Amino acid sequence: MAAKFAFFLLFCLPLALFSQTNPLARKISVRVQQDALNKALDQMAEAGKFSFAYNSDIINPDSVVSLQLRRETVRFGLEELFGEQMTFTSVGNHVVLRLNIQKTPEEPEFITLSGYLIDGKTGEKIEYATVYESEKHESTLTDKEGKYSIQIPGRLNQVPVSFSRYGYRDTVIVVRPNATNNLTVGLMPLPREILDPQMVSLVGDQFTEELPLANFFVPEPQRRRAFNINHALARFPVQISLVPSIGTNGSMSGGMTNHLSINLLAGYSQGLQGVEIGGIANLIREDVMGVQVGGIANIVGGSMTGVQVGGINNHVKGSVQGVQIGGIYNLVGDSIQGIQISGIANLCQQHVSGLQIAGVTNMAPEAVDGGQIAGLVNVSKGHVKTGQIAGLVNKGKEIGGMQIAGLGNTANGKVGGGQISGLYNSASDSITGFQISGLYNRAKYIKGIQIGLINVADTLDGTAIGLVNWSKNGYRSVGLTNNTINDVEFGLRTGTDRIYFLLAVGARIRDTNNPGWTYGGGFGTHIGITSWLDLELEYNLQQVVEEELGHRLHLVQAIRPSALVRPLPWLEVYGGPALHHQMVTDGDFAGELPSNIGQNYFLESYAERIRHRGFLGYQAGLRVRF
């Protein structure tokens, strides 16, 4: 399957895309019945959405032709009209027509064509414009005075010469070398409202291209020539280059699209529709459709469809549909539909539809319709459809699945699955699922369960398990109790009536010979009988600290059933029996323990240097519910 996919990328995809973009290969439907030749050409150009460029002398205006094309190529139609009389060449979005006549060998191999380039409206000289001979790709730039000079073939009857400048309409002039060696051309300016002001500002004495690394690898004249080209000059099966200025496409490489590009150090082209391999860097000014493999970097000024593999990074200014694999980082200026994999960071400045996997961090300012997996940090300012997994921190707006982090999770919206972290979880909106952390959970609304030392929710529709469980619609009370263990015991109960948790500290103050104090906690539940009467069942575990026993283990756990009465909505009065189990490390005592707790025991045992006792007791007290 993989082999078939690779074959498609290498051969089928480039050929299919070539047929769509080359004007001569576009399929058109035209019907001309006994009409002028030039009108037939106009109909073909309109149907194929391109322009013809030719010397008017080669078209006989009195010629009457008939032509019927039904989903046939432009080339086929021209062959029907002209046979072998003409040759046809595509230059950008132009089709150049020339008489199929060559000069005699006595004519010079090359001649120099020179002249000026002027503004077709104002007559001002145009500097830094690109002038190129389309077939051999000889090129030059106009100087500060708008003057140009270029070598063109001298043995051809007609030579198409192109004139391009950003902000002006591209123009192709068919030159007769034997009759013309000086030519002044006027370019018509494009409407200012359709031009990018930032792009216009780039054209000046100092030209800096926005494509990363281009200013380092590509000479300024070569960058200027490419900048002026609105459409790809040509599409080549193969480009081989050492550096951008030394290669098979010469100084015009930045205006060409390749199907296979092999760059020993670095390459520079307008587009890629196929496969590109670079020893250091691959620089593409516009779009890529296919596969790029760069020893250090792949830089794309447009969009990327396919696969990128960069030893250090992949940088795409537009969108990505496919896979990016960068040794250090991947950067996408627009959205990505696919997968980003990097050793350190994946950065997408818009929307991610897929998966980000990074050794350190993933960032998506907008939404992630998929997941993020990072060794340290995941950040999404929009929603995350599937989930986030990070060794340190996850941050998102709405999470459709889960957040799992070693340190903390933050969701600025809803969470549809859950949050698991070692330290904290926070959701500013609702959670349908769970929050599990080592310390702190916070949610506006949770339908499910919270597990942590401290759990906080505006609205809890479920269960919170922790030392402190705080919710506006939950159960919260503080109270004082007198029981078998303590003369006075202060307790904080938080959670829900279904299950709450207790933190307690108490003191034994009446036994002046052996005073002590306790600390501990437990959990309990309320069983509603009426609006003012509940049955309560609590489990409580406390460590007893007494001077006579020192710092040894002295635990007392108890099951406490009580009747709870509410004379006022905020006041609770309760009391009932208690069943206690006492455990004391007892290595140094023979006989009774020097403690007044558990003296009236009904059960005693001794095992592994721990004394166990069972005894009955009571508890009674008051609480304030808030």
Side-chain angles (χ1 to χ4, degrees):
M1 187 67 183
K4 292 181 179 179
F5 178 71
F7 178 85
F8 173 79
L9 283 177
L10 285 169
F11 298 98
C12 301
L13 179 61
L15 293 175
L17 293 169
F18 179 82
S19 67
Q20 294 175 6
T21 56
N22 184 354
L24 286 169
R26 295 175 189 171
K27 293 184 177 181
I28 60 174
S29 296
V30 170
R31 183 175 181 179
V32 178
Q33 189 69 31
Q34 291 296 306
D35 208 343
L37 175 59
N38 59 346
K39 292 185 178 180
L41 294 176
D42 291 341
Q43 288 191 38
M44 293 178 66
E46 182 178 355
K49 300 188 183 308
F50 62 91
S51 301
F52 280 111
Y54 55 86
N55 192 314
S56 59
D57 293 343
I58 68 174
I59 300 296
N60 185 350
D62 297 327
S63 296
V64 177
V65 298
S66 296
L67 178 67
Q68 185 168 343
L69 301 177
R70 186 177 180 85
R71 296 291 298 164
E72 301 289 351
T73 64
V74 173
R75 182 183 293 278
F76 177 82
L78 292 174
E79 290 173 348
E80 288 290 304
L81 289 175
F82 298 109
E84 297 182 356
Q85 180 185 358
M86 296 275 188
T87 60
F88 325 117
T89 306
S90 64
V91 180
N93 203 38
H94 301 277
V95 172
V96 179
L97 305 181
R98 293 182 299 172
L99 287 173
N100 191 14
I101 301 174
Q102 294 215 348
K103 290 190 174 184
T104 62
E106 288 75 19
E107 298 291 341
E109 185 175 359
F110 292 99
I111 68 167
T112 300
L113 178 68
S114 61
Y116 292 88
L117 206 59
I118 62 174
D119 187 300
K121 284 189 174 181
T122 66
E124 295 180 357
K125 303 296 177 58
I126 299 177
E127 60 182 9
Y128 302 125
T130 301
V131 181
Y132 58 96
E133 184 271 304
S134 305
E135 292 192 353
K136 301 300 180 181
H137 308 298
E138 295 293 330
S139 64
T140 187
L141 290 172
T142 58
D143 61 18
K144 296 283 289 183
E145 301 300 322
K147 186 176 181 179
Y148 70 90
S149 179
I150 186 173
Q151 294 287 310
I152 63 174
R155 295 178 181 176
L156 296 179
N157 185 56
Q158 296 174 333
V159 177
V161 179
S162 297
F163 302 85
S164 297
R165 171 67 150 75
Y166 184 80
Y168 290 85
R169 194 177 305 279
D170 285 349
T171 300
V172 178
I173 303 295
V174 179
V175 176
R176 291 184 174 182
N178 64 340
T180 306
N181 56 23
N182 188 278
L183 181 65
T184 295
V185 177
L187 297 185
M188 296 304 296
L190 295 172
R192 302 293 293 182
E193 57 270 16
I194 71 171
L195 300 178
D196 184 348
Q198 185 177 0
M199 296 288 284
V200 173
S201 67
L202 293 176
V203 184
D205 292 338
Q206 299 297 324
F207 177 76
T208 301
E209 188 168 346
E210 294 181 332
L211 192 68
L213 296 181
N215 297 303
F216 176 78
F217 281 109
V218 186
E220 181 178 331
Q222 188 173 357
R223 284 184 274 124
R224 285 188 183 274
R225 295 176 194 189
F227 178 78
N228 289 323
I229 306 300
N230 292 329
H231 304 283
L233 304 179
R235 286 161 176 80
F236 280 82
V238 179
Q239 172 189 252
I240 300 176
S241 67
L242 175 63
V243 291
S245 57
I246 303 175
T248 55
N249 289 345
S251 61
M252 291 300 291
S253 65
M256 300 179 185
T257 293
N258 306 300
H259 298 317
L260 175 62
S261 181
I262 300 174
N263 309 309
L264 300 181
L265 295 179
Y268 179 65
S269 57
Q270 183 168 13
L272 173 68
Q273 296 176 359
V275 178
E276 183 169 49
I277 301 173
I280 294 179
N282 299 310
L283 310 177
I284 305 293
R285 297 178 54 242
E286 294 186 359
D287 298 335
V288 169
M289 301 184 73
V291 179
Q292 277 188 312
V293 180
I296 291 181
N298 296 304
I299 310 296
V300 178
S303 296
M304 165 74 196
T305 301
V307 179
Q308 281 186 318
V309 181
I312 290 183
N313 80 289
N314 298 301
H315 184 157
V316 177
K317 188 176 181 180
S319 62
V320 170
Q321 296 185 32
V323 180
Q324 286 186 313
I325 302 174
I328 292 182
Y329 74 93
N330 297 306
L331 174 61
V332 176
D334 202 322
S335 59
I336 180 168
Q337 296 183 19
I339 301 175
Q340 285 185 314
I341 302 173
S342 76
I344 292 182
N346 294 309
L347 310 173
C348 178
Q349 297 181 1
Q350 297 294 331
H351 187 98
V352 176
S353 295
L355 181 64
Q356 290 182 312
I357 303 174
V360 176
T361 184
N362 295 306
M363 296 191 68
E366 291 192 1
V368 178
D369 287 337
Q372 292 179 311
I373 301 174
L376 290 182
V377 179
N378 292 311
V379 177
S380 173
K381 293 183 179 179
H383 71 262
V384 179
K385 187 173 183 179
T386 301
Q388 295 176 313
I389 301 174
L392 192 60
V393 174
N394 292 312
K395 185 176 181 180
K397 187 176 182 182
E398 294 187 358
I399 311 298
M402 287 195 300
Q403 287 183 313
I404 302 174
L407 180 60
N409 297 306
T410 299
N412 293 324
K414 298 178 182 179
V415 178
Q419 294 176 312
I420 301 175
S421 74
L423 189 60
Y424 73 91
N425 295 308
S426 176
S428 62
D429 206 313
S430 63
I431 287 185
T432 303
F434 54 84
Q435 282 185 316
I436 301 174
S437 75
L439 179 60
Y440 175 76
N441 295 308
R442 171 73 174 92
K444 184 175 182 180
Y445 171 85
I446 181 164
K447 185 175 183 179
I449 187 170
Q450 288 180 310
I451 301 175
L453 291 179
I454 301 173
N455 301 304
V456 178
D458 289 354
T459 302
L460 175 62
D461 183 7
T463 303
I465 300 175
L467 293 181
V468 177
N469 307 287
W470 203 273
S471 60
K472 292 180 180 179
N473 69 322
Y475 174 67
R476 306 184 304 274
S477 70
V478 292
L480 295 176
T481 302
N482 174 261
N483 54 44
T484 308
I485 307 300
N486 291 306
D487 297 321
V488 61
E489 182 178 291
F490 174 82
L492 171 66
R493 291 166 173 82
T494 57
T496 65
D497 285 310
R498 183 166 51 189
I499 181 169
Y500 63 84
F501 289 81
L502 164 67
L503 289 177
V505 60
R508 297 173 59 242
I509 57 179
R510 289 183 295 176
D511 186 356
T512 57
N513 293 326
N514 188 23
W517 63 284
T518 67
Y519 61 91
F523 57 90
T525 185
H526 290 155
I527 302 171
I529 304 300
T530 69
S531 61
W532 54 271
L533 176 64
D534 286 352
L535 294 182
E536 180 180 84
L537 181 63
E538 278 190 357
Y539 168 81
N540 182 268
L541 175 65
Q542 299 194 59
Q543 166 70 23
V544 180
V545 180
E546 293 179 302
E547 184 177 346
E548 291 294 330
L549 289 176
H551 297 289
R552 70 184 62 243
L553 179 68
H554 186 181
L555 295 177
V556 178
Q557 55 183 336
I559 296 176
R560 301 172 174 178
S562 299
L564 186 149
V565 178
R566 281 187 293 274
L568 296 172
W570 51 270
L571 181 63
E572 297 176 343
V573 181
Y574 65 96
L579 175 63
H580 298 88
H581 172 220
Q582 182 183 29
M583 295 180 294
V584 184
T585 52
D586 187 22
D588 300 330
F589 299 106
E592 292 297 323
L593 294 174
S595 173
N596 290 331
I597 296 176
Q599 293 298 315
N600 298 318
Y601 57 87
F602 62 84
L603 180 67
E604 183 179 45
S605 67
Y606 186 85
E608 297 181 357
R609 301 172 65 86
I610 298 178
R611 185 175 294 191
H612 299 267
R613 285 178 175 176
F615 60 95
L616 296 174
Y618 73 94
Q619 74 279 339
L622 296 173
R623 297 180 199 150
V624 175
R625 187 166 183 163
F626 61 97

